[in-house]
């Protein structure tokens, strides 16, 4: 298979540093075998459905009662076919209960299934010291000791855990104000506002920014929260190929030339929506080129930095910092506190007029309960550490350690012959598995070796691009990363039982 360094050429004159992304095409034989695997699973799925229909095999799924057969059906058999016959076989790889801090190592509650993953029972035992390669704990701030934990504890004693009100009523605390001012200073923008949920930051604020008569140009790999927000807005949505500037420019040019459908009036707004790091691909947005196109065609730019804020750039300020760009060139800077900051919630930063508008028109700002005080304090303390305002070099050390760990781990996996997707500087590392049987096998065998991984398959990825996804943290040691890489190659080469009965 050919190794593709970035899917399309890029404009080198706009970049201050080399931009390298690799996406190796799926080998033909692997693709054929993968389709055959899904085909065999589908055939056996129909066979088992036949046995369930005649009560030869016990049916665990929800279905219509006989007296309701004349009503509109609540359950569509074919829609649930994948869940019933494919997902259930490997369901034990997800929703594992954790009974410790999800740091570099964690403790898992052991569970078993007496009915092939339809239900689970806890054994009462705990699997200790599992290396955590799945959490978005990029800077290692998900911990129960240290400066952040102590500050959050003090905030709990002072303010309590819950606020029990919205910001615009009786839930606006002084630390909320302090946090938003700190976020604006960290991002280098005029103003910022925070929300209690990262998903809602996208899904509830995009509808406040665009509406009917507006056009949203969305990257094909954008997160579900961005997709939902775009749909709820009522705007026209057009999708461009991932990180493909030719595709984006063609849509921009067509939008300017042709205008709205039927009437051909100019669009009220054109909003380009991209992410900093794409969480399934380990890909970094081509921000310099996106900004150049945005300026040329006078569009607006919405940048989702959920995975990149705190994880990229010499100062940890995301892709804008990574590429050495001016934050003022990004109209709406969105991100979350759930990953690098070890907290919860999201933020939007930009011009003061924009933020003042959102405070009055965003459903998430008006109707959602305020952020919990200890969570707010966690954000404030961790952000000050990253910025060096705590008087130590801890933040700079963690940023450097994350970068070194990312480069080291990616290099180790490539040396072992694994196919790795994404940018060399991305802490999200997808390791390609391809075949459906390997999804469950890899997750189970790694757990047996005390390594917790996230495995992902269709429909979250293309059908022939199933993968394991590692998330690197500054808290990981070289010994941990070496063990993960060595055990990965051991699992790949070992003959294992790949699927549940």
């Amino acid at each position: 298979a050919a190794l593709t360094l970035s899917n399309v050429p890029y404009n080198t004159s706009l970049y201050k540093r080399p931009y390298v992304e690799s996406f190796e095409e799926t080998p033909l034989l692997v693709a054929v075998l993968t389709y055959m695997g899904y085909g065999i699973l589908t055939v056996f799925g129909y066979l088992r459905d036949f046995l369930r229909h005649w009560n030869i095999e016990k049916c665990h799924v929800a279905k219509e009662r006989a007296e309701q057969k004349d009503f509109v059906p609540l359950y569509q058999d074919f829609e649930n076919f994948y869940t019933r016959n494919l997902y259930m076989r490997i369901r034990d790889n997800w929703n594992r209960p954790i009974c410790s801090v999800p740091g570099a190592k964690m403790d898992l509650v052991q569970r078993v299934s007496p009915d092939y993953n339809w239900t689970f029972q806890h054994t009462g035992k705990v699997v200790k010291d599992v290396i955590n390669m799945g959490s978005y704990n990029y800077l290692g701030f998900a911990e129960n000791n240290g400066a952040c934990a102590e500050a959050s504890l003090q905030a709990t004693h002072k303010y309590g855990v819950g606020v029990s009100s919205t910001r615009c009523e009786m839930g606006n605390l002084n630390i909320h104000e302090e946090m938003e001012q700190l976020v604006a200073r960290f991002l280098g923008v005029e103003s910022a506002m925070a929300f209690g949920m990262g998903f809602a930051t996208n899904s509830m604020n995009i509808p406040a920014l665009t509406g009917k008569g507006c056009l949203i140009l969305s990257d094909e790999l954008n997160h579900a929260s961005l997709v939902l927000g775009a749909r709820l807005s009522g705007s026209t949505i057009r999708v461009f190929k991932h990180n493909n500037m030719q595709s984006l420019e063609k849509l921009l040019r067509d939008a300017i030339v042709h205008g709205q459908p039927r009437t051909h009036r100019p669009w009220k707004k054109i909003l380009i929506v991209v992410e900093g790091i794409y969480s399934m691909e380990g890909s970094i947005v081509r921000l310099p080129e996106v900004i150049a196109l945005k300026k040329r065609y006078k569009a607006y730019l919405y940048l989702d930095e959920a995975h990149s804020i705190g994880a990229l750039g010499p100062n940890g300020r995301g892709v804008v910092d990574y590429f050495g760009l001016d934050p003022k060139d990004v109209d709406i800077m969105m991100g979350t506190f759930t990953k690098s900051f070890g907290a919860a919630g999201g933020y939007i930063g930009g011009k003061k007029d924009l933020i003042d508008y959102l405070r009055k028109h965003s459903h998430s700002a008006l109707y959602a309960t305020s952020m919990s005080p200890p969570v707010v304090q966690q954000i404030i303390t961790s952000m000050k550490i990253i910025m060096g305002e705590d008087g130590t070099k801890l933040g700079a050390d963690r940023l450097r350690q994350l970068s070194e760990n990312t480069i080291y781990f990616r290099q180790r996996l490539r040396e072992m012959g694994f196919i790795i997707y994404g940018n060399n500087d991305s802490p999200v590392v997808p390791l390609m598995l391809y075949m459906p049987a390997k999804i469950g096998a890899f997750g189970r065998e790694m757990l047996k070796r005390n390594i917790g991984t996230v495995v992902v398959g269709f429909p979250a990825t293309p059908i022939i691009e199933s993968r394991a996804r590692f998330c690197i943290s500054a808290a990981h040691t070289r010994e941990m990363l070496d063990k993960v890489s060595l055990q990965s190659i051991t699992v790949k080469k070992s003959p294992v039982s790949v699927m549940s009965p």
Side-chain angles (χ1 to χ4, degrees), residues 21-273:
E21 289 193 345
S22 60
F23 298 92
E24 186 168 334
E25 297 175 6
T26 307
L28 180 61
L29 177 60
V30 173
V32 171
L33 292 175
T34 301
Y35 280 120
M36 286 177 60
Y38 276 104
I40 292 169
L41 284 169
T42 303
V43 170
F44 274 90
Y46 279 114
L47 174 61
R48 298 184 76 166
D49 277 356
F50 175 80
L51 296 177
R52 291 180 187 123
H53 178 74
W54 293 102
N55 295 322
I56 299 173
E57 180 179 325
K58 185 177 180 181
C59 183
H60 297 273
V61 298
K63 57 183 179 179
E64 308 292 342
R65 296 177 179 176
E67 57 267 26
Q68 292 178 315
K69 61 181 175 32
D70 294 328
F71 290 82
V72 176
L74 291 173
Y75 308 102
Q76 298 292 335
D77 283 343
F78 189 76
E79 288 179 8
N80 296 325
F81 181 85
Y82 180 88
T83 302
R84 191 167 58 246
N85 294 300
L86 281 75
Y87 169 72
M88 279 298 171
R89 290 171 172 261
I90 54 177
R91 181 169 167 244
D92 55 302
N93 285 283
W94 294 281
N95 303 315
R96 290 170 177 157
I98 298 171
C99 56
S100 70
V101 173
K105 288 188 175 182
M106 58 188 177
D107 299 337
L108 297 182
V109 176
Q110 191 181 69
R111 59 181 185 171
V112 295
S113 176
D115 50 8
Y116 306 120
N117 294 342
W118 286 99
T119 60
F120 293 101
Q121 296 175 358
H122 296 165
T123 63
K125 298 180 181 178
V126 174
V127 184
K128 294 280 189 179
D129 295 328
V130 177
I131 298 176
N132 182 3
M133 297 300 296
S135 295
Y136 308 131
N137 184 25
Y138 297 128
L139 292 180
F141 283 118
E143 51 195 358
N144 57 0
N145 53 50
C148 291
E150 291 172 7
S152 296
L153 181 61
Q154 291 174 10
T156 304
H157 287 311
K158 182 176 181 179
Y159 298 100
V161 175
V163 182
S164 303
S165 181
T166 63
R167 288 286 297 277
C168 60
E169 292 171 349
M170 301 300 291
N172 191 29
L173 305 180
N174 60 330
I175 55 172
H176 288 129
E177 303 273 353
E178 179 188 350
M179 173 189 60
E180 291 179 340
Q181 291 169 11
L182 182 65
V183 170
R185 191 153 49 85
F186 180 64
L187 297 174
V189 296
E190 291 180 9
S191 185
M193 66 182 300
F195 306 88
M197 181 181 179
F199 191 98
T201 306
N202 281 330
S203 59
M204 292 290 99
N205 283 293
I206 293 178
L209 295 168
T210 65
K212 191 175 181 181
C214 299
L215 174 65
I216 293 177
L217 302 180
S218 176
D219 190 291
E220 66 179 346
L221 297 181
N222 276 344
H223 190 261
S225 60
L226 293 167
V227 174
L228 177 61
R231 289 175 177 170
L232 290 174
S233 72
S235 304
T236 301
I237 305 168
R238 289 176 185 158
V239 178
F240 61 91
K241 295 178 182 177
H242 173 59
N243 251 354
N244 190 316
M245 296 303 109
Q246 287 82 358
S247 174
L248 174 57
E249 185 168 17
K250 183 180 184 303
L251 290 177
L252 281 167
R253 192 176 295 155
D254 289 346
I256 299 298
V257 172
H258 300 295
Q260 298 184 43
R262 294 190 301 276
T263 64
H264 299 294
R265 293 175 181 170
W267 295 99
K268 294 178 182 178
K269 294 175 194 167
I270 299 177
L271 182 66
I272 302 169
V273 180

